[in-house]
Every structure is written in C-alpha cells, then in structure tokens.
Amino acid sequence: MIYFLVSLNTLFRGKPEYFISLPPDTTFAQAPKSINKEEPQLPILQAVLIGMAIAMVGTIPRNILYFANMQFFNAVPWAVPLLAIYMWFFWRHLQGYGPPEHSSEQRRTLMRANPLSGRVWLWSLLAGTLGIIALVVGLRFVNRLIALPEQTLPDIAQVPRFTMLVLLLMSAPVAGIIEEIAFRGYMQKPIEEKYGLLVAILITGTMFAIAHLDFTLVLWPYYILVAAIYGTITYLTKSILPAVLLHTGGNLFSNFDLWLHGRAEWQTGSGASALIWETGTDSAFWTTGFFLVVTIILTVLAYVWLARITSAIRVK
C-alpha cells in the first residue's frame, strides 16, 4: 500500500495541470464553462497505468487473504472481516481522504462516486439489469454458433460450504468496488473526456479483459460489452455508484451459477448446447434468439430514457 501511494503520487505529479487552479473558495461547479472546456486531460497511457495499478492493489490482497483462508483454519471465514477493513481504507483513500494532500481533489474527482437522485438510480439499475440479461442471453445464443471456452471452479472440496458461501458473498461487492473504481473511474473518465465514450469503452474493456488472467481472444467482445454496460451508465450519470451495484449483482449471479452448476452461465442449463452447424437449429436456439432481440430492444430504450433524464437534470 505504501508503494502504491508513492507510485500514485508520482503519476499525479507527472501531470499536475490535469486539474485547473481555481481561486481558493471556488468549487468546480462554480468554475466558468470556458475554463472547464479547456481543462487538460490525462494521457491514455497514464490513465491506463493508474487504473491497472488500482485494480492490482485491490485484487492482490483479496486473493492472498482468500488463499490463506482456504488453506488455514478454513472452518471459519476469517478473511472477510480483514478484507472489509482493507476495503474501507481502499475506498477512503481513492475517494480523496488521507495523504498525499496535493492529489486529494484529483482522487475524489477521478473516482466520481457522486450521489444520485432516486429517479436516476431507478433508471440506471433498470437499464443495467436489462443490459446484463441481454448479455447473458447473447452468450448462450453465441455458444450455439461458436464454441466458447469452458469455465470451471478450482478444486475447493476441502473448503467447508459455509466458508465458501461467505467468501463468495464477499467477493461480489469487493470485485465490483475495485473494478469500477479502477476501470470506470480512474481509467475511463480521463479517456472519455478527451477521446469520447466509444474509445474509452474499447480501451477499458480491453484492459478489463487483460486483467482477467483466463482471458481468451474469443471473449474479447464479451468484455467490451461489459465495459459498455457499466461505462455508459457511469458516463450518463457521472457516478460509478450504479455500476458498482450492478457489477456486484452480476458477480453474485455468475459466482453462484458457477459454484452450483460447475460451469459458466452461458453453458449452464443448455441441454442442446451443441453447435447448430453440427445438429441444425432447434426450438431452444430460436427461443434464445427471440429473447435476445427483445432484451436488446428493451435495453436500448432504457439507456435512451436514462440519457434523457440525466440530460434534463444537467440542463436544470
């Protein structure tokens, strides 16, 4: 953690002009629009390095604690309270609290854990949930067209079910918090402001794929779509909070689906999982295709409505 603070401090010092110097009593909301438009941006490489560093600093301690818990005294999920304490400090520091003071405002702005109205929360969660459903249905549809890689759990037979259950429950919000801060906050924000949302999604989605060590090229579009679901909501709402909650829900679904069935969500429950080029089309294939079209349409409509709501709020 000390090394991370020093490294992050150095990265911020490399571009101290990222944030404009304002009079002491002036907030960013009060800053002239002409000044905000001329605000310098972090280079792509710097944003990527900071985002990946944050992902590593959040993920590695979690993995160490989980591995130790499954090896020693595994009758009790003792890693959970320790991880909760670590995550509290992790969140607070990246939100701008604590040293170094000169990067406090930068950290708060890049993390963008901004509060939202109830209406924006509602449509954000609806749009994101529909997007996740469409993604899962799409994966199952594509799995009939091309062979997607299998995903299996490591051998956890020696870990008591209670301990495994608690660890899985804890891993969902932890991963959601770490990855949304890293990819939709610190990495995406500077890139989207300088190059636009599409470029930001392509870069963060690619880096998100690389961060998953089991990544294969055929799943690259999947990670891009994940980045589009969470990244677009963050872009529209100017807050990572809905994406954190949606990411947590998605993790809960995929973690428990994998634990209960032993396979990834796009493979589970597919009695007719053979490629259509080998077996021909069947009712399951066409039903999945129909639901895919419906969920895509509903997702697009929800995102359009969310964009209208957030645009109207900004105008007011």
Side-chain angles (χ1 to χ4, degrees), residues 40-56:
Q41 308 295 322
L42 280 172
I44 287 181
L45 179 60
Q46 194 169 359
V48 168
L49 288 175
I50 292 175
M52 294 299 283
I54 290 171
M56 290 176 62

Side-chain angles (χ1 to χ4, degrees), residues 51-52 55 178-189 204-205 207-209 211:
M52 294 299 283
I178 294 170
E179 292 170 0
E180 292 311 309
I181 292 176
F183 294 101
R184 253 59 69 182
Y186 278 73
M187 190 182 298
Q188 177 177 310
K189 185 179 188 296
T204 56
M207 299 312 298
F208 187 56

Side-chain angles (χ1 to χ4, degrees), residues 8 27 35 40 46 66-67 96 107 112 127 171-172 198 221 226 252 268 282 285 287 290 312:
L8 192 60
T27 65
I35 294 179
Q46 194 169 359
Y66 272 33
F67 177 79
R107 284 179 277 137
R112 55 177 173 183
S171 67
L198 179 60
V226 170
L252 283 173
T268 300
D282 49 38
F285 174 77
T287 301
F290 171 77

Side-chain angles (χ1 to χ4, degrees), residues 66 77 80 161-171 256 259:
Y66 272 33
V80 169
R161 292 183 66 86
F162 172 74
T163 299
M164 200 66 232
L165 173 64
V166 176
L167 292 180
L168 284 174
L169 286 173
M170 183 65 175
S171 67
F256 281 97
W259 187 37

